[in-house]
Amino acid sequence: MNNKFWIVFLHTYVTKLKSKSFFISTIITAFIVFGISQLDRIIEAFSDNGQKTIGVIDETNGWYEALQSQLQSNKEIKLVRHDKSEEQAKELVQTEKWYAYIVLDVQNGQPKVTYYAKNIAPESVTKHLYNGRKPLIR
């Protein structure tokens, strides 16, 4: 009796595995699981606003050009020289005309860089500023 059960069970199981509906539902389920696991990356890919404008206040009279030449090939960041006050730059960030601003300065012979943004900078912006090899911001 026990032997007949397994024969019927195995025959039914193999028949269901070979059916077209089982194959299609397995593929659909795999896509759904993959889509849910990658949901954060999918949202990030479609919500990217493109190029971020970052104002630069250069009090060193020379670092802006070096920073701009280093980020010249970068399509995500657009640098804009700002010769006015930090308060005006902060207002441009608060009104979301700029994504952030940077103040380049020298104190006691050491470079000093101040970064200001409305929100904490995402990795996509800071990784380009650090540039992997030699950091522009310390």
Side-chain angles (χ1 to χ4, degrees):
M1 174 115 173
N2 195 14
N3 193 20
K4 291 179 185 178
F5 170 77
W6 289 111
I7 292 173
V8 172
F9 176 79
L10 186 62
H11 176 70
T12 306
Y13 181 71
V14 170
T15 304
K16 293 294 180 185
L17 281 178
K18 290 182 179 180
S19 70
K20 198 182 291 187
S21 62
F22 177 79
F23 182 72
I24 292 171
S25 65
T26 303
I27 290 176
I28 290 172
T29 304
F31 278 122
I32 290 172
V33 169
F34 179 76
I36 290 172
S37 68
Q38 301 297 322
L39 191 61
D40 60 334
R41 293 182 186 185
I42 293 169
I43 290 172
E44 184 179 315
F46 286 108
S47 68
D48 191 12
N49 297 347
Q51 199 173 41
K52 293 176 175 46
T53 302
I54 297 179
V56 179
I57 300 173
D58 186 8
E59 296 177 356
T60 65
N61 297 324
W63 287 4
Y64 173 76
E65 288 78 17
L67 181 63
Q68 188 175 31
S69 68
Q70 189 166 1
L71 296 174
Q72 186 175 14
S73 63
N74 189 330
K75 304 294 182 203
E76 293 181 33
I77 297 175
K78 176 185 173 189
L79 295 179
V80 176
R81 182 185 287 265
H82 185 69
D83 295 325
K84 298 178 177 130
S85 69
E86 281 191 55
E87 288 76 28
Q88 290 174 332
K90 192 178 283 191
E91 185 177 318
L92 289 169
V93 172
Q94 292 296 328
T95 59
E96 296 183 358
K97 291 183 181 176
W98 286 354
Y99 184 77
Y101 75 87
I102 298 172
V103 179
L104 304 174
D105 197 5
V106 175
Q107 282 186 346
N108 300 328
Q110 296 293 322
K112 178 185 174 192
V113 179
T114 306
Y115 179 85
Y116 177 83
K118 189 172 182 180
N119 299 321
I120 296 175
E123 184 180 329
S124 65
V125 172
T126 56
K127 79 176 179 182
H128 293 295
L129 292 175
Y130 278 100
N131 199 17
R133 295 172 281 135
K134 50 184 179 180
L136 298 172
I137 296 177
R138 292 181 192 245

